[in-house]
């Protein structure tokens, strides 16, 4: 497999690359990974090639798969107008570069897997949400929707697209858990608001496993390019598009997550950050902390993916840092 990854050095892209290399070496399969980068001098594993966006613009290389993950972290800082523009641009510009490459290249990729988030559904409380569910309009939805709609333009050139809507990714190396470890280890961790809001999460191991599963399953059936199912989206030329929720099958309340994390770290969890304080500190972005989403991985499970860490207890206790 020859795969091109935008955002390859990030929290998810690097773990995906490491696991794919490990698996393909064990299975003695041919693999070549290229990371797209703004800086060609960026540190990277020896087994991975680097390509700048400028080089992509004139490259005649062919790739079996494109994995589009580039984008600034939505929860890294308050959503000022400038930050909102940055969040959108950090997703749109790399995707536009990939689309320009797809349009120009004579040998099209067999699949593009494009990132998104469960924020696409908007805040809907404890209502169960699957890939066929509707949405509530807010900034998170608008951000995800624009990114997804742009990625779908790959189908205009006959390239199938898999949209992966990712939940809260659990791993101590980064993401939400990485930010929570220090305060919880200091004994000042606690629940957010009333703790009843639902958190739809996935371990990083399962996120990586699920994306590899999606890619390998599609490539194995590549000859049947018109195969669709109930999780498909309609496109102009019938090029397949699939949507997957990358979340574990057992979402939890913030209270349960807090208590489980505290028990894992052997630390108390007496503190509570009330909603008004969260809104004061984080502004509009506080919706990510206060308003829950119960997003379920129906498409993944229907396709036959088996979760390695289906419960939050397993996701914490079996982490590999």
């Amino acid at each position: 497999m020859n795969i091109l990854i935008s955002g390859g050095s990030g929290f998810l892209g690097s773990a995906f690359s490491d696991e794919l290399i490990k698996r393909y070496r064990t299975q003695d399969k041919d693999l070549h990974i290229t990371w797209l980068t703004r800086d060609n001098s960026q540190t990277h594993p020896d087994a991975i090639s680097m390509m700048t966006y400028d080089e992509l613009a004139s490259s005649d290389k062919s790739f079996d798969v494109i994995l589009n993950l580039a984008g600034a972290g939505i929860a890294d800082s308050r959503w000022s107008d400038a930050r909102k523009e940055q969040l959108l641009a950090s997703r749109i510009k790399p995707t536009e570069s990939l689309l320009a490459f797809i349009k120009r290249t004579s040998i099209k990729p067999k699949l593009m897997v494009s990132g998104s988030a469960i924020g696409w559904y908007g805040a809907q409380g404890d209502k169960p949400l699957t890939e066929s569910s509707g949405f509530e309009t807010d900034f998170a939805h608008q951000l995800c929707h624009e990114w997804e709609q742009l990625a779908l333009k790959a189908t205009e050139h006959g390239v199938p697209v898999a949209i992966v809507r990712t939940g809260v990714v659990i791993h101590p190396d980064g993401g939400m858990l990485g930010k929570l470890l220090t305060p919880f280890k200091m004994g000042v961790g606690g629940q957010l608001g009333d703790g009843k809001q639902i958190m739809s999460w996935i371990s990083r191991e399962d996120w990586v496993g699920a994306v590899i599963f999606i890619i390998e399953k599609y490539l194995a059936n590549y000859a049947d390019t018109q195969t669709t199912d109930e999780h498909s989206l309609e496109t102009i030329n019938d090029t397949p598009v699939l949507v997957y929720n990358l979340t574990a099958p057992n979402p939890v309340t913030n209270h349960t997550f807090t208590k489980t994390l505290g028990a894992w770290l052997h630390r108390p969890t007496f503190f509570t950050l009330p909603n008004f304080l969260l809104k004061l500190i984080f502004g509009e972005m506080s919706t990510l902390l206060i308003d829950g989403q119960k997003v379920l991985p129906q498409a993944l499970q229907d396709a036959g993916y088996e979760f390695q860490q289906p419960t939050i207890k397993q996701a914490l206790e079996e982490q590999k840092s």
Side-chain angles (χ1 to χ4, degrees):
M1 186 196 313
N2 194 0
I3 182 167
L4 177 67
I5 307 176
S6 68
S9 63
F11 174 57
L12 296 177
S14 59
F16 172 87
S17 300
D18 289 345
E19 179 63 20
L20 197 62
I21 290 170
K22 177 183 174 182
R23 290 193 190 190
Y24 275 55
R25 281 179 176 170
T26 301
Q27 300 168 10
D28 197 27
K29 291 183 178 180
D30 184 51
L31 174 68
H32 189 85
I33 297 176
T34 302
W35 284 357
L36 267 179
T37 180
R38 302 287 179 194
D39 180 10
N40 211 7
S41 64
Q42 183 182 36
T43 302
H44 61 280
D46 292 338
I48 293 173
S49 301
M50 302 292 279
M51 176 185 287
T52 65
Y53 283 89
D54 288 340
E55 290 170 338
L56 179 69
S58 59
S59 175
D60 59 358
K61 291 184 178 180
S62 62
F63 298 95
D64 298 304
V65 177
I66 293 176
L67 179 56
N68 181 27
L69 300 177
I74 191 171
D76 287 353
S77 61
R78 287 175 65 105
W79 292 346
S80 64
D81 289 343
R83 179 60 178 173
K84 287 181 177 180
E85 291 179 5
Q86 181 185 16
L87 288 170
L88 183 58
S90 68
R91 288 158 172 78
I92 296 301
K93 289 181 179 179
T95 305
E96 288 177 336
S97 296
L98 291 171
L99 289 171
F101 168 76
I102 289 171
K103 179 179 180 180
R104 180 176 52 79
T105 187
S106 57
I107 303 177
K108 307 298 184 187
K110 297 175 182 176
L111 177 67
M112 181 164 82
V113 180
S114 196
S116 185
I118 60 172
W120 185 90
Y121 298 101
Q124 300 197 49
D126 59 0
K127 175 183 177 181
L129 302 171
T130 69
E131 289 82 0
S132 60
S133 297
F135 59 87
E136 293 292 330
T137 301
D138 56 17
F139 171 68
H141 167 76
Q142 293 168 348
L143 177 67
C144 294
H145 181 70
E146 288 194 42
W147 193 15
E148 289 186 13
Q149 290 302 302
L150 183 61
L152 293 184
K153 290 183 179 295
T155 62
E156 297 175 6
H157 308 289
V159 177
V161 176
I163 299 291
V164 290
R165 293 174 180 161
T166 298
V168 176
V169 180
I170 300 297
H171 195 279
D173 280 356
M176 184 185 78
L177 182 59
K179 295 176 182 178
L180 290 178
L181 285 180
T182 296
F184 270 75
K185 286 179 178 178
M186 294 174 63
V188 294
Q191 75 179 32
L192 305 177
D194 62 13
K196 295 179 181 179
Q197 65 272 37
I198 303 292
M199 186 179 88
S200 296
W201 60 276
I202 187 171
S203 71
R204 191 169 70 170
E205 285 82 358
D206 269 316
W207 187 93
V208 168
V211 174
I212 293 175
F213 173 84
I214 291 166
I215 291 172
E216 292 186 338
K217 182 177 177 65
Y218 190 85
L219 293 185
N221 299 294
Y222 178 68
D224 186 13
T225 56
Q226 298 307 310
T227 297
T228 58
D229 62 24
E230 63 179 307
H231 307 296
S232 298
L233 298 181
E234 292 185 6
T235 56
I236 295 174
N237 58 1
D238 293 327
T239 301
V241 173
L242 291 172
V243 177
Y244 294 91
N245 291 334
L246 266 53
T247 56
N250 298 295
V252 295
T253 64
N254 176 260
H255 175 80
T256 296
F257 171 75
T258 299
K259 294 303 179 183
T260 307
L261 179 56
W264 177 56
L265 294 172
H266 306 290
R267 293 293 188 273
T269 54
F270 301 133
F271 292 88
T272 296
L273 280 174
N275 286 350
F276 81 87
L277 187 57
L278 291 168
K279 292 178 181 178
L280 182 64
I281 296 172
F282 297 105
E284 185 182 355
M285 195 187 76
S286 64
T287 184
L288 299 178
L289 308 174
I290 297 171
D291 300 316
Q293 289 179 301
K294 188 176 183 180
V295 182
L296 304 173
Q298 183 174 327
L300 263 182
Q301 292 185 304
D302 287 351
Y305 180 74
E306 296 183 7
F307 281 83
Q308 303 170 56
Q309 297 163 347
T311 69
I312 194 67
K313 189 172 185 288
Q314 288 174 298
L316 293 173
E317 291 181 350
E318 298 175 16
Q319 287 298 342
K320 304 167 188 174
S321 56

